[in-house]
Each structure stands twice: as structure tokens, then as C-alpha cells.
Amino acid sequence: MFVHSALLLLFLSTCGYAYQLQSNLFSDRLLRVSGVNAVMSADDQCIVSFAFDYQPVSTVTWVDWIAVDGDNRRVTGVLNTLKGKVNVVLTSSAGFSPEFGNNFINGGPTSSTGLKHLGYTETNFWATAPRALNNPYTSDVITEGPTLPDIIAFTPATNITITFDKPVDNLYIPYLSINNNEYIFNNNFTILSQATGDSNIGSYGYGISEKVYDSDSKKYKLVSVTGEPHGAIEMKGCYDTMSFSTSVDEWWHGITVGVGDVNCVPPSTTTTTTTTTSTTTSKVSSTTTTT
């Protein structure tokens, strides 16, 4: 994580304000006071030192999933970035989860027993579990997990394609409850975070997933190893489309999508111009006639 550290000195007439200032001086949630010290100087002034860290805002923008077209097995959404709007379409060859009416989840009161026992009152599967200390979807790269409750749920094994109407730079895919399943990608990826215990438990528990490269198919797999894996992966590069598949039918599992930036140049649109120079030789034939 890229963190700026600094030290701030204040001179006060009394040390009684020092710890009040520690909690009130910095209102920016990104500015974290990590230490405070107050000493009286020889001339009866209170010298207060604050150590603080500055953590920049996460640069990930999350898709706002808006509508589902069950007949055509697709969900549409939008990325509202600082550089403008990007329209997003996700298609699933086998559809979505009947658990949610072949729809995507857009938040709201929860009816899930599994969520209720964890203390949830709203269906926001990306939120930190009430009994957990940390979010399983955050990391040094994703400093803030999905800010929208939207999630796309799948049940049957399926082929998934995500298309952007403007190219985007770096994809982030949080995943939820992929027990006994595999996500199979053409592109390499990095597992940034995952739920490994009670301290960062996901909505349906925790478990280990790992990346496996299949040299025969030349595919990269996100493989469930134990329990109920929840976590997030990063796929670096520039994309206008990306496809992957899931390997087994399951009660349900889900994802959402985030991006790092827009208006990059994907490899599929990069062209190489080759200039060929040709030389043409003309031959002139001369005929001599003798009389």
C-alpha cells in the first residue's frame, strides 16, 4: 500500500487538549492518526506531536448493475468513472441463479438464514461481516471493497463474457462462495485477498482458493481448495472484452466487476503497419532492320 507518513508539531498553552485534538483535528477518513505525544517545555508550553498516515482512495470503480434480460441471459450495467460513463454487458450461456429468480441481487432486506446467523440485516454480500474485523475483498490494491451491493449469481456451469463499450485498464473480480468450483480464464490473474478465518469471514464462511495453470489447455484456473472461498482477483491489462467459465453446477455463487481506469488501448485494436518498397525494372527492346 502506498502510504505517506508525516509528523505534525503543535504548540499549546496546556497539555489538557492534546488527546482531544487527536480525535478531532483530522476529520478526513483517509488521514489516520497513528500516535500522539504531549510534553511540557521549559517555558511551560505544551508541545504536542502527532504521527499520522495518509492512505489514498482506492482507484477501483465498481460496476453498477442495472437490468437483467433473462431471455437473452444477460445483465447490463454502467461504470461511472471520472473519465465518463462506460456501459457494461455480462452474458452467461447457461443463465443465472434460480435462487434469485434468474436475476442479479441489488441489495435489500435479507431472507437468507446463512446471512442472518452472521448478523446481516441487508443483502449486501460484499459488506464486512458484523462479526469480522476485516473485509475479505480488500487488499493493498483494493483498499475499499465493492461500494455497491450488486452481485451477479450463478448456479449452472456456464460460459461468461463481459464486454465494455470503452476499453478499461485492469479488471477486479470479487468472488463469493465458490466451494467445489473453478473459474477458468484465458488470462493470467493474481489473487489479491481471500477469507481465511473468522477475522475476515465472508457471507457464507471462509476457505482457501488457489491459482492453477493448466499447461495442456493453457488456461488459468481459480480453484476452490477448502471450505467456502470468498476473495478478489486482479487481471492486469487493457480489455474491451473478457471471458471465463465455471466448471460445476452449484447452489449459487456470485461475482461483481471493477476496473482501474478507462480509455486504454486493448491489444485487439493495436495494428502494425508494414511498408513494402518494390522496385520495378522496365526493359526496352530495340529492333534493327537492315535494308
Side-chain angles (χ1 to χ4, degrees):
M1 183 180 296
F2 188 69
V3 175
H4 300 282
S5 297
L7 184 67
L8 176 66
L9 298 179
L10 297 177
F11 298 90
L12 304 173
S13 58
T14 173
C15 281
Y17 296 107
Y19 290 91
Q20 182 180 356
L21 279 171
Q22 180 184 8
S23 60
N24 294 339
L25 184 63
F26 305 112
S27 60
D28 189 336
R29 66 185 175 87
L30 301 175
L31 202 57
R32 181 185 63 199
V33 177
S34 58
V36 62
N37 185 48
V39 295
M40 294 298 295
S41 66
D43 56 354
D44 293 329
Q45 284 191 325
C46 180
I47 302 175
V48 184
S49 61
F50 291 92
F52 62 92
D53 297 328
Y54 175 73
Q55 298 180 349
V57 177
S58 174
T59 57
V60 178
T61 302
W62 301 102
V63 175
D64 182 4
W65 299 107
I66 296 170
V68 63
D69 178 351
D71 291 339
N72 292 301
R73 299 176 177 178
R74 70 178 185 177
V75 178
T76 56
V78 63
L79 285 160
N80 293 303
T81 77
L82 294 175
K83 294 182 180 178
K85 184 173 76 170
V86 179
N87 294 305
V88 187
V89 176
L90 182 148
T91 60
S92 172
S93 62
F96 304 99
S97 175
E99 177 71 13
F100 302 98
N102 286 311
N103 207 329
F104 71 97
I105 306 164
N106 202 24
T110 180
S111 60
S112 168
T113 303
L115 289 181
K116 282 181 177 177
H117 92 271
L118 289 173
Y120 286 90
T121 57
E122 298 289 318
T123 310
N124 184 354
F125 295 99
W126 308 122
T128 303
R131 81 184 203 201
L133 299 175
N134 301 300
N135 188 293
Y137 311 105
T138 59
S139 61
D140 288 352
V141 177
I142 303 175
T143 56
E144 185 176 15
T147 52
L148 299 166
D150 303 353
I151 182 170
I152 300 177
F154 307 98
T155 290
T158 188
N159 299 307
I160 300 159
T161 298
I162 306 167
T163 304
F164 306 90
D165 71 348
K166 296 183 182 68
V168 298
D169 196 21
N170 295 349
L171 295 180
Y172 301 94
I173 302 178
Y175 56 92
L176 177 144
S177 186
I178 62 166
N179 56 309
N180 299 317
N181 213 330
E182 296 177 343
Y183 286 3
I184 305 167
F185 299 91
N186 293 318
N187 307 84
N188 196 2
F189 63 86
T190 300
I191 300 175
L192 296 177
S193 62
Q194 55 183 317
T196 55
D198 282 338
S199 65
N200 64 347
I201 192 170
S203 300
Y204 286 100
Y206 56 85
I208 299 300
S209 54
E210 65 181 17
K211 180 175 75 171
V212 174
Y213 178 67
D214 186 330
S215 58
D216 293 331
S217 65
K218 296 182 170 52
K219 305 281 189 180
Y220 297 87
K221 298 181 178 182
L222 178 67
V223 178
S224 168
V225 179
T226 64
E228 288 272 7
H230 299 62
I233 64 171
E234 175 187 43
M235 303 180 70
K236 290 188 175 181
C238 188
Y239 299 88
D240 50 17
T241 186
M242 189 277 292
S243 298
F244 68 101
S245 60
T246 66
S247 63
V248 299
D249 295 353
E250 189 187 342
W251 173 39
W252 82 272
H253 54 99
I255 66 165
T256 191
V257 178
V259 305
D261 202 355
V262 296
N263 295 333
C264 55
V265 179
S268 60
T269 62
T270 303
T271 58
T272 303
T273 303
T274 304
T275 303
T276 303
T277 304
S278 61
T279 303
T280 303
T281 303
S282 298
K283 294 183 179 180
V284 178
S285 177
S286 175
T287 304
T288 303
T289 303
T290 303
T291 302

